[in-house]
Amino acid sequence: MKSRVFEIIAAEQARQNSTVELIASENFVSENVMKAVGSCLTNKYSEGYPAQRPSGNRGRFYGGCQYVDELEEYCCHQWQAVFQTDYHVNVQPHSGSSANLAAYMSVLKPGDTILAMSLNNGGHLTHGSPVNFSGKLFHMEFYGVDENGFIDYEDVRRKARECRPQLILAGASAYSRTIDFPAFADAAREAGAYFMVDMAHIAGLVAAGDHPSPFGLADIITTTTHKTLRGTRSGLIFCRPELAKRVDSAVFPGCQGGALQHVIAGKAVTAEEASTEEFREYIHAVVRNCKAMCDEFISMGYKVVTGGTDNHLFLLDLTDTGLTGKAVQDELDRHGITLNKNCVPNESRSPQQTSGVRIGTAAMTTKGYTEQDFIAVARQIDRIIRDMQDMRKE
């Protein structure tokens, strides 16, 4: 029987093959990751944890788990090796959002205060948006950025002293600069708060040594496994060993049911790949390519938030062009270039329109793009934006 599902998948494959992918949170996985996620492990139910779980949360609620127990333990060990850490790791979260929910619930009560970066300044939906569980379950306070878009660490310390949060969160989904984890750790210690890092975007850079590591400073660290780690779409939670039982209990039975063992297999393959020298060289190229593309936009007269980038992404502030982020995103889609609209600091437009766009280099670096390729794409985007401006004048 002809399946409409596979026709749609083929169409999406063709789109991915033919477009320039600049969405900073997307990447292209290996054939081995896809094989693992599409394996027979999708058939297996495995509520609970392997029998030898170090947190003490031991045992499954179903039989026949001997091989998925081995797989899950192997996956945990591989991720500890990637980040060279003795932190406890839970590989069951279905996504970065569910990892953040479980992380919060492991050490907080509803109504407790979290100090985080606001969405307009680069934070993530799960960092306190009022329409998200984080903003609905917890009292949120936000630290800001300075006039150049850099995190204002003095504001972090001041807000921490004023609101006395139970948890201080570092991490962002649209911040192009190195994050000073020691400064956050100091603020958390002074406030008597837990220190949590959401490194979903920069995890690949941390693994390759292109961004300072939060391990040894943070109490809890969450991440996705796609983005710069170039793996299946899912999440991880790392924590200090003394929080292991609380984190494991918050994931299951607190926030989730059965683990997705086919996805855990994909995460294990991702960890194997992220431990290689080839992966480290890839990340070095991602960072080089991002700087080259960012510098080209600056040379063409564009306003870049913070004036540059230290990682895999940067933000174009389009305010001076008179165009919205949504309009630019939609027009670039028509030219086979994919990116996303994004708020900028001191945003004057709605999140549905925005004054900026976010650009990332991880995906196309996977496809083999070099610095010169990204410079050429920047010039193509410039031509399209200029044509849009000319159309508005007519």
Side-chain angles (χ1 to χ4, degrees):
M1 183 183 74
K2 192 173 184 180
S3 171
R4 177 60 181 149
V5 171
F6 290 101
E7 291 176 352
I8 295 171
I9 291 174
E12 170 60 15
Q13 183 69 69
R15 186 198 67 81
Q16 291 184 19
N17 291 344
S18 62
T19 57
V20 176
E21 180 55 73
L22 300 177
I23 294 177
S25 52
E26 293 190 6
N27 214 324
F28 299 105
V29 303
S30 68
E31 289 289 335
N32 283 341
V33 169
M34 285 195 282
K35 286 178 183 177
V37 177
S39 70
C40 66
L41 292 167
T42 194
N43 301 324
K44 187 69 191 97
Y45 231 119
S46 57
E47 283 188 348
Y49 290 100
Q52 301 305 313
R53 191 70 174 159
S55 67
N57 295 19
R58 298 173 181 169
R60 305 284 193 183
F61 288 77
Y62 294 87
C65 287
Q66 62 268 39
Y67 297 116
V68 294
D69 278 5
E70 182 180 352
L71 171 67
E72 189 168 329
E73 287 293 347
Y74 175 73
C75 187
C76 291
H77 293 317
Q78 286 300 113
W79 281 113
Q80 288 174 318
V82 167
F83 294 106
Q84 300 177 31
T85 183
D86 62 355
Y87 273 40
H88 177 77
V89 58
N90 188 302
V91 299
Q92 290 193 8
H94 300 332
S95 67
S97 294
S98 60
N100 283 349
L101 174 59
Y104 297 152
M105 297 304 291
S106 69
V107 294
L108 301 177
K109 304 183 299 296
D112 280 351
T113 298
I114 299 174
L115 177 61
M117 192 178 201
S118 69
L119 193 63
N120 279 358
N121 287 326
H124 187 255
L125 185 70
T126 59
H127 298 176
S129 170
V131 300
N132 181 255
F133 65 77
S134 52
K136 293 176 183 292
L137 290 176
F138 303 102
H139 173 71
M140 300 301 306
E141 296 284 346
F142 300 102
Y143 52 84
V145 296
D146 64 21
E147 63 275 11
N148 296 313
F150 287 81
I151 293 172
D152 186 338
Y153 292 99
E154 183 51 44
D155 188 48
V156 174
R157 289 186 286 270
R158 181 170 59 253
K159 294 282 179 60
R161 289 192 294 266
E162 290 172 357
C163 69
R164 308 298 296 183
Q166 280 71 48
L167 184 144
I168 295 178
L169 176 61
S173 66
Y175 186 68
S176 63
R177 295 298 188 172
T178 299
I179 298 174
D180 186 348
F181 293 131
F184 277 105
D186 288 344
R189 274 195 299 272
E190 184 180 341
Y194 287 105
F195 175 34
M196 175 177 157
V197 171
D198 178 348
M199 64 173 187
H201 263 275
I202 58 171
L205 280 69
V206 171
D210 285 77
H211 190 288
S213 174
F215 288 93
L217 294 167
D219 300 299
I220 301 174
I221 300 167
T222 61
T223 185
T224 53
T225 47
H226 41 295
K227 301 187 178 79
T228 53
L229 283 173
R230 201 163 59 171
T232 186
R233 299 181 62 83
S234 196
L236 305 170
I237 305 175
F238 296 87
C239 66
R240 296 188 185 277
E242 58 268 27
L243 295 176
K245 185 173 179 63
R246 296 171 70 174
V247 165
D248 280 2
S249 296
V251 175
F252 174 84
C255 297
Q256 294 183 178
L260 307 179
Q261 291 296 338
H262 58 302
V263 178
I264 288 176
K267 282 187 267 196
V269 174
T270 302
E272 289 177 332
E273 293 174 352
S275 297
T276 64
E277 184 59 31
E278 183 276 332
F279 178 82
R280 287 184 283 274
E281 289 300 321
Y282 157 72
I283 291 294
H284 301 335
V286 169
V287 176
R288 287 195 306 272
N289 290 340
C290 196
K291 186 177 189 310
M293 190 179 196
C294 180
D295 288 348
E296 184 64 18
F297 274 109
I298 293 171
S299 73
M300 292 187 294
Y302 285 86
K303 182 179 179 181
V304 173
V305 176
T306 76
T309 180
D310 298 325
N311 57 29
H312 64 298
L313 64 82
F314 59 94
L315 297 178
L316 288 186
D317 185 339
L318 300 169
T319 303
D320 294 342
T321 70
L323 303 171
T324 67
K326 183 180 189 307
V328 171
Q329 172 187 298
D330 291 349
E331 184 62 21
L332 290 176
D333 260 342
R334 286 187 276 273
H335 289 79
I337 299 173
T338 308
L339 47 66
N340 65 279
K341 63 184 182 293
N342 211 95
C343 292
V344 297
N346 303 310
E347 178 62 69
S348 60
R349 293 189 173 100
S350 74
Q352 286 72 41
Q353 294 297 319
T354 78
S355 298
V357 293
R358 184 183 65 166
I359 296 175
T361 55
M364 294 310 294
T365 302
T366 294
K367 284 194 171 184
Y369 268 39
T370 65
E371 292 165 89
Q372 290 305 312
D373 293 318
F374 281 104
I375 288 171
V377 173
R379 292 171 181 168
Q380 183 181 1
I381 292 172
D382 172 58
R383 288 192 295 272
I384 293 167
I385 289 175
R386 291 184 186 280
D387 287 345
M388 292 175 70
Q389 290 176 299
D390 290 343
M391 289 288 290
R392 292 179 78 242
K393 294 174 184 176
E394 293 178 359

